[in-house]
PDB file of all heavy atoms in Angstrom:
ATOM      1  N   TYR A 207      75.846  65.798 103.464  1.00  0.00           N
ATOM      2  CA  TYR A 207      74.404  65.953 103.790  1.00  0.00           C
ATOM      3  C   TYR A 207      73.697  66.614 102.602  1.00  0.00           C
ATOM      4  O   TYR A 207      72.555  66.249 102.250  1.00  0.00           O
ATOM      5  CB  TYR A 207      74.254  66.820 105.049  1.00  0.00           C
ATOM      6  CG  TYR A 207      72.819  67.046 105.443  1.00  0.00           C
ATOM      7  CD1 TYR A 207      72.120  66.045 106.138  1.00  0.00           C
ATOM      8  CD2 TYR A 207      72.140  68.209 105.128  1.00  0.00           C
ATOM      9  CE1 TYR A 207      70.842  66.228 106.471  1.00  0.00           C
ATOM     10  CE2 TYR A 207      70.829  68.441 105.427  1.00  0.00           C
ATOM     11  CZ  TYR A 207      70.183  67.366 106.167  1.00  0.00           C
ATOM     12  OH  TYR A 207      68.846  67.620 106.521  1.00  0.00           O
ATOM     13  N   ALA A 230      65.752  68.243 122.842  1.00  0.00           N
ATOM     14  CA  ALA A 230      64.394  68.556 122.286  1.00  0.00           C
ATOM     15  C   ALA A 230      64.268  70.019 122.000  1.00  0.00           C
ATOM     16  O   ALA A 230      63.732  70.449 120.972  1.00  0.00           O
ATOM     17  CB  ALA A 230      63.385  68.084 123.277  1.00  0.00           C
ATOM     18  N   PHE A 231      64.814  70.905 122.871  1.00  0.00           N
ATOM     19  CA  PHE A 231      64.580  72.350 122.667  1.00  0.00           C
ATOM     20  C   PHE A 231      65.305  72.880 121.442  1.00  0.00           C
ATOM     21  O   PHE A 231      64.944  73.939 120.964  1.00  0.00           O
ATOM     22  CB  PHE A 231      64.924  73.109 123.933  1.00  0.00           C
ATOM     23  CG  PHE A 231      66.410  73.437 124.072  1.00  0.00           C
ATOM     24  CD1 PHE A 231      66.862  74.725 123.888  1.00  0.00           C
ATOM     25  CD2 PHE A 231      67.310  72.429 124.407  1.00  0.00           C
ATOM     26  CE1 PHE A 231      68.219  75.023 124.008  1.00  0.00           C
ATOM     27  CE2 PHE A 231      68.708  72.760 124.620  1.00  0.00           C
ATOM     28  CZ  PHE A 231      69.119  74.038 124.379  1.00  0.00           C
ATOM     29  N   LEU A 232      66.294  72.116 120.908  1.00  0.00           N
ATOM     30  CA  LEU A 232      66.938  72.500 119.703  1.00  0.00           C
ATOM     31  C   LEU A 232      66.338  71.692 118.495  1.00  0.00           C
ATOM     32  O   LEU A 232      66.026  72.327 117.447  1.00  0.00           O
ATOM     33  CB  LEU A 232      68.414  72.249 119.773  1.00  0.00           C
ATOM     34  CG  LEU A 232      69.265  73.123 120.713  1.00  0.00           C
ATOM     35  CD1 LEU A 232      70.672  72.619 120.736  1.00  0.00           C
ATOM     36  CD2 LEU A 232      69.138  74.570 120.354  1.00  0.00           C
ATOM     37  N   GLY A 233      66.163  70.426 118.671  1.00  0.00           N
ATOM     38  CA  GLY A 233      65.632  69.553 117.613  1.00  0.00           C
ATOM     39  C   GLY A 233      64.258  69.883 117.178  1.00  0.00           C
ATOM     40  O   GLY A 233      63.907  69.909 116.008  1.00  0.00           O
ATOM     41  N   LYS A 234      63.359  70.154 118.181  1.00  0.00           N
ATOM     42  CA  LYS A 234      61.953  70.376 117.796  1.00  0.00           C
ATOM     43  C   LYS A 234      61.723  71.688 117.146  1.00  0.00           C
ATOM     44  O   LYS A 234      60.825  71.846 116.343  1.00  0.00           O
ATOM     45  CB  LYS A 234      61.126  70.268 119.082  1.00  0.00           C
ATOM     46  CG  LYS A 234      60.942  68.854 119.579  1.00  0.00           C
ATOM     47  CD  LYS A 234      60.023  68.761 120.806  1.00  0.00           C
ATOM     48  CE  LYS A 234      59.874  67.330 121.272  1.00  0.00           C
ATOM     49  NZ  LYS A 234      58.979  67.302 122.463  1.00  0.00           N
ATOM     50  N   ILE A 235      62.569  72.674 117.451  1.00  0.00           N
ATOM     51  CA  ILE A 235      62.484  73.995 116.802  1.00  0.00           C
ATOM     52  C   ILE A 235      62.735  73.826 115.298  1.00  0.00           C
ATOM     53  O   ILE A 235      62.067  74.405 114.476  1.00  0.00           O
ATOM     54  CB  ILE A 235      63.473  75.001 117.454  1.00  0.00           C
ATOM     55  CG1 ILE A 235      62.989  75.368 118.893  1.00  0.00           C
ATOM     56  CG2 ILE A 235      63.558  76.299 116.584  1.00  0.00           C
ATOM     57  CD1 ILE A 235      63.943  76.269 119.592  1.00  0.00           C
ATOM     58  N   LYS A 236      63.788  73.062 114.988  1.00  0.00           N
ATOM     59  CA  LYS A 236      64.143  72.819 113.602  1.00  0.00           C
ATOM     60  C   LYS A 236      63.105  72.076 112.843  1.00  0.00           C
ATOM     61  O   LYS A 236      62.583  72.481 111.798  1.00  0.00           O
ATOM     62  CB  LYS A 236      65.501  72.145 113.520  1.00  0.00           C
ATOM     63  CG  LYS A 236      66.002  71.977 112.135  1.00  0.00           C
ATOM     64  CD  LYS A 236      67.394  71.304 112.167  1.00  0.00           C
ATOM     65  CE  LYS A 236      67.904  71.034 110.724  1.00  0.00           C
ATOM     66  NZ  LYS A 236      69.228  70.358 110.727  1.00  0.00           N
ATOM     67  N   SER A 237      62.730  70.915 113.396  1.00  0.00           N
ATOM     68  CA  SER A 237      61.763  70.047 112.765  1.00  0.00           C
ATOM     69  C   SER A 237      61.372  68.919 113.723  1.00  0.00           C
ATOM     70  O   SER A 237      62.252  68.078 114.009  1.00  0.00           O
ATOM     71  CB  SER A 237      62.267  69.476 111.420  1.00  0.00           C
ATOM     72  OG  SER A 237      61.377  68.489 110.979  1.00  0.00           O
ATOM     73  N   PRO A 238      60.181  68.864 114.255  1.00  0.00           N
ATOM     74  CA  PRO A 238      59.783  67.748 115.136  1.00  0.00           C
ATOM     75  C   PRO A 238      59.972  66.367 114.518  1.00  0.00           C
ATOM     76  O   PRO A 238      60.337  65.380 115.131  1.00  0.00           O
ATOM     77  CB  PRO A 238      58.312  68.089 115.429  1.00  0.00           C
ATOM     78  CG  PRO A 238      58.191  69.573 115.243  1.00  0.00           C
ATOM     79  CD  PRO A 238      59.162  69.881 114.113  1.00  0.00           C
ATOM     80  N   GLU A 239      59.661  66.297 113.160  1.00  0.00           N
ATOM     81  CA  GLU A 239      59.777  65.017 112.442  1.00  0.00           C
ATOM     82  C   GLU A 239      61.258  64.538 112.362  1.00  0.00           C
ATOM     83  O   GLU A 239      61.517  63.383 112.609  1.00  0.00           O
ATOM     84  CB  GLU A 239      59.225  65.117 111.070  1.00  0.00           C
ATOM     85  CG  GLU A 239      57.668  65.361 111.040  1.00  0.00           C
ATOM     86  CD  GLU A 239      57.304  66.781 111.342  1.00  0.00           C
ATOM     87  OE1 GLU A 239      58.179  67.717 111.319  1.00  0.00           O
ATOM     88  OE2 GLU A 239      56.100  67.032 111.642  1.00  0.00           O
ATOM     89  N   VAL A 240      62.124  65.480 112.030  1.00  0.00           N
ATOM     90  CA  VAL A 240      63.545  65.170 111.945  1.00  0.00           C
ATOM     91  C   VAL A 240      64.084  64.801 113.303  1.00  0.00           C
ATOM     92  O   VAL A 240      64.925  63.884 113.432  1.00  0.00           O
ATOM     93  CB  VAL A 240      64.353  66.311 111.324  1.00  0.00           C
ATOM     94  CG1 VAL A 240      65.870  66.011 111.352  1.00  0.00           C
ATOM     95  CG2 VAL A 240      63.910  66.546 109.885  1.00  0.00           C
ATOM     96  N   TYR A 241      63.608  65.519 114.337  1.00  0.00           N
ATOM     97  CA  TYR A 241      64.079  65.198 115.683  1.00  0.00           C
ATOM     98  C   TYR A 241      63.679  63.811 116.115  1.00  0.00           C
ATOM     99  O   TYR A 241      64.482  63.061 116.648  1.00  0.00           O
ATOM    100  CB  TYR A 241      63.492  66.234 116.659  1.00  0.00           C
ATOM    101  CG  TYR A 241      63.724  65.888 118.121  1.00  0.00           C
ATOM    102  CD1 TYR A 241      65.049  65.973 118.659  1.00  0.00           C
ATOM    103  CD2 TYR A 241      62.716  65.514 118.924  1.00  0.00           C
ATOM    104  CE1 TYR A 241      65.293  65.706 119.973  1.00  0.00           C
ATOM    105  CE2 TYR A 241      62.916  65.158 120.260  1.00  0.00           C
ATOM    106  CZ  TYR A 241      64.197  65.296 120.768  1.00  0.00           C
ATOM    107  OH  TYR A 241      64.453  64.912 122.082  1.00  0.00           O
TER     108      TYR A 241
END
Side-chain angles (χ1 to χ4, degrees):
Y207 181 81
F231 82 107
L232 293 176
K234 288 182 178 179
I235 291 175
K236 182 178 179 181
S237 169
E239 293 77 16
V240 172
Y241 172 69

